[in-house]
Amino acid sequence: DSGVTQTPKHLITATGQRVTLRCSPRSGDLSVYWYQQSLDQGLQFLIQYYNGEERAKGNILERFSAQQFPDLHSELNLSSLELGDSALYFCASSPRTGRFNYGYTFGSGTRLTVV
Amino acid sequence: DAKTTQPTSMDCAEGRAANLPCNHSTISGNEYVYWYRQIHSQGPQYIIHGLKNNETNEMASLIITEDRKSSTLILPHATLRDTAVYYCIVPSYNTDKLIFGTGTRLQVFP
């Protein structure tokens, strides 16, 4: 157990639907990062939050959004789902932000299947 | 992020040392080298990082050349459980995110 908790572990949903993935960071960590891993694209950085505020953005689609709550847990919302959104979604956390901060702790991921 | 180049795949016999190379010829003087691995469909796992001195921890050793243009991750006694994709990453000084490349797929065989 890495200390980063992601729920649910598996999710199957239909095209056009909306889902929410949840991440609880390791105790004391303020930064949360979301990654998408598709079969053909490797690990893609989506977005980072630090202490409730968006810090960095990657290749995140407009149909996707995220937030970090006061208790530091984060949610990734995926809407108008397409077959191509089927992927593993990983959350990682780290104590802070900025330099010297790349020793992330990853969760075990949520496997999303869109049918 | 500084571009890194790694072999696509490598094999290693169980019990032998696994030496995974990484080229990062465009690395800047203040940029660190990080290594992660991902065992099949699990979340990536941090292994080690370094700036210019060699580093060792309970998992691995990291050897960085004097000119810092390349490094080698060493797993001293590889086991079957070390079979994974290994990523060498050099984050840019002014970025907060890790960008994963394609990594090296290490297969440890009995």
Side-chain angles (χ1 to χ4, degrees), chain B residues 22-102:
Chain B
C22 178
N23 286 319
H24 32 78
S25 58
T26 61
I27 193 169
S28 298
N30 53 11
E31 292 175 336
Y32 281 68
V33 181
Y34 278 75
W35 284 84
Y36 277 75
R37 73 179 182 183
Q38 186 176 25
I39 297 170
H40 179 64
S41 295
Q42 296 181 19
Q45 178 187 26
Y46 164 80
I47 301 173
I48 199 168
H49 73 280
L51 182 63
K52 51 185 173 183
N53 298 319
N54 297 338
E55 302 288 345
T56 296
N57 63 20
E58 64 279 3
M59 289 183 66
S61 294
L62 175 60
I63 309 297
I64 302 174
T65 58
E66 194 169 340
D67 64 8
R68 303 208 328 117
K69 293 185 176 181
S70 65
S71 60
T72 301
L73 179 74
I74 301 173
L75 308 178
H77 305 286
T79 71
L80 298 178
R81 289 177 296 179
D82 292 322
T83 293
V85 177
Y86 288 77
Y87 298 96
C88 168
I89 305 170
V90 178
S92 295
Y93 178 84
N94 60 352
T95 184
D96 277 357
K97 56 186 184 288
L98 283 176
I99 303 300
F100 288 79
T102 53

Side-chain angles (χ1 to χ4, degrees), chain A residues 35 37 55 97 99 102 104, chain B residues 30 36 38 95-96 98:
Chain A
Y35 285 80
Q37 187 170 35
R55 178 74 182 181
T97 189
R99 200 182 172 205
Y102 304 108
Y104 297 1
Chain B
N30 53 11
Y36 277 75
Q38 186 176 25
T95 184
D96 277 357
L98 283 176

